[in-house]
Amino acid sequence: PLSARGEGALAEQARRLLSFTEGRVDLRPVDVGLSLAVSRAALPDRAAVVAAGMAELRAGLAALAEGGSAP
């Protein structure tokens, strides 16, 4: 889950998380999601990416970073 104040800020959060995941073979989507859920404030604008693997997570984050959505 990502949260921010405003759609632009939400897209920026997605861009930053996408950048953080680049080249990180040690990450698992479940760990990223848990860390975000328990360590971040719940702000008014929210989005979630459902992913079975890092490739799907990165694709969803890329879509959010562009202001869109992914299947």
Side-chain angles (χ1 to χ4, degrees):
L2 297 171
S3 67
R5 285 192 174 90
E7 289 183 26
L10 191 60
E12 180 58 29
Q13 287 289 338
R15 275 190 289 281
R16 289 174 47 200
L17 186 54
L18 181 61
S19 176
F20 174 77
T21 65
E22 288 178 4
R24 301 285 307 267
V25 297
D26 60 323
L27 291 179
R28 298 181 313 159
V30 66
D31 296 328
V32 173
L34 177 64
S35 294
L36 291 171
V38 300
S39 67
R40 306 275 306 169
L43 299 173
D45 295 290
R46 300 177 189 175
V49 176
V50 178
M54 286 306 295
E56 289 180 9
L57 177 63
R58 291 180 49 71
L61 289 171
L64 286 173
E66 296 299 318
S69 62

